[in-house]
């Protein structure tokens, strides 16, 4: 990636997440459109990571995603940071988060909160975790050694243990197993360079982030 200056060693997953005490049975989203259920009006959280919708648009296209986000905005969602809305989901102030990352899923597991990903929803949004030496860094050799370590099985397994993130490219890893038979979105470099920021800002403004 990045013209050979870095490589992907793990992935971060983002999917809708719901309160299992309050959202049950047929109300559990099976596809992205299901989060637009009127039962979630004013009770759905949409956080500041609006690049998630830009990522979805790489697969859906800009127009379809624009119409989806417009309908989401019409639901008068609760706005806030990833951490703030995660806490509100735990205590039931919101029923559902439109997206949430594995970083906060890990927090939720530690706290034994009543939340779960809507795991049937596709495509799964993936953010690539990359590593590589920074140009002009004072210790490029140390950076290369660390990058090499993360490429090893030991490095990959340690990252999984500490961060609960693994690579979809490592056969048998938790995320390799999770994405089997499912559609995923991994950013293409040209989309990231030319469209990601513009679309993230566009969808953020539609939601209410100025």
């Amino acid at each position: 990636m990045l013209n050979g200056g870095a490589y992907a060693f793990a992935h971060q997953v983002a999917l809708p997440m719901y309160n299992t005490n309050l959202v049950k049975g047929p109300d559990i989203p099976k596809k992205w459109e299901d989060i637009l259920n009127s039962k979630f009006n004013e009770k759905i959280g949409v956080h500041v990571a609006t690049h998630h919708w830009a990522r979805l648009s790489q697969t859906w296209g800009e127009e379809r995603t624009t119409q989806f986000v417009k309908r989401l905005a019409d639901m008068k969602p609760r706005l806030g940071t990833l951490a703030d809305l995660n806490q509100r989901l735990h205590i039931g102030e919101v029923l559902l988060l439109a997206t949430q990352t594995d970083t906060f899923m890990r927090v939720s597991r530690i706290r034994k909160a009543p939340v779960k990903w809507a795991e049937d929803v596709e495509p799964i949004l993936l953010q690539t975790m990359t590593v590589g030496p920074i140009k002009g860094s004072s210790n490029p050799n140390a950076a290369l050694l660390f990058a090499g370590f993360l490429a090893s099985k030991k490095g990959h397994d340690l990252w999984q243990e500490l961060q609960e993130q693994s690579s979809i490219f490592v056969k048998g890893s938790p995320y390799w197993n999770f994405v089997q038979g499912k559609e995923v979105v991994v950013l293409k470099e040209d989309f990231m360079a030319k469209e990601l920021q513009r679309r993230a800002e566009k969808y953020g403004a539609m939601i209410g982030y100025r």
Side-chain angles (χ1 to χ4, degrees), residues 72 109-110 205:
L72 183 60
R109 288 196 190 102
I110 292 171

Side-chain angles (χ1 to χ4, degrees), residues 15-166:
L15 281 171
M17 190 159 73
Y18 62 96
N19 185 303
T20 56
N21 288 338
L22 303 173
V23 179
K24 299 178 182 292
D27 291 332
I28 298 171
K30 303 294 184 184
K31 57 184 185 295
W32 283 104
E33 288 84 356
D34 290 345
I35 72 174
L36 303 176
N37 187 331
S38 61
K39 293 182 179 181
F40 302 137
N41 284 351
E42 301 184 31
K43 288 291 186 177
I44 185 171
V46 181
H47 53 61
V48 295
T50 58
H51 63 88
H52 288 172
W53 309 116
R55 291 170 186 272
L56 184 60
S57 76
Q58 179 182 273
T59 293
W60 275 10
E62 186 168 4
E63 180 56 29
R64 178 182 174 185
T65 310
T66 297
Q67 294 304 313
F68 177 87
V69 173
K70 183 179 183 299
R71 291 176 64 192
L72 183 60
D74 288 343
M75 297 174 71
K76 300 180 180 179
R78 299 287 291 272
L79 306 182
T81 66
L82 283 76
D84 171 60
L85 289 176
N86 207 57
Q87 179 64 22
R88 293 179 186 278
L89 182 69
H90 289 183
I91 62 178
E93 286 188 9
V94 296
L95 305 179
L96 176 82
L97 299 186
T99 63
Q100 188 55 294
T101 66
D102 53 26
T103 302
F104 287 94
M105 177 61 79
R106 177 174 176 271
V107 171
S108 299
R109 288 196 190 102
I110 292 171
R111 295 179 179 176
K112 298 182 179 179
V115 300
K116 189 176 181 181
W117 268 331
E119 295 185 352
D120 290 334
V121 171
E122 297 180 52
I124 300 168
L125 304 181
L126 296 175
Q127 182 170 332
T128 303
M129 313 299 287
T130 60
V131 64
I134 298 174
K135 184 177 181 180
S137 60
S138 57
N139 295 291
N141 290 335
L144 283 171
L145 286 171
F146 181 66
F149 171 71
L150 287 176
S152 69
K153 184 179 186 305
K154 184 175 182 180
H156 178 271
D157 291 349
L158 183 61
W159 189 267
Q160 164 62 28
E161 178 185 347
L162 297 176
Q163 296 295 320
E164 297 188 12
Q165 293 171 338
S166 55

Side-chain angles (χ1 to χ4, degrees), residues 46-51 53-54 69 73 79 197-210:
V46 181
H47 53 61
V48 295
T50 58
H51 63 88
W53 309 116
V69 173
L79 306 182
Q197 185 64 28
R198 180 185 69 81
R199 295 191 191 185
E201 291 176 356
K202 170 184 174 178
Y203 298 136
M206 291 175 64
I207 290 294
Y209 292 108
R210 303 289 180 178

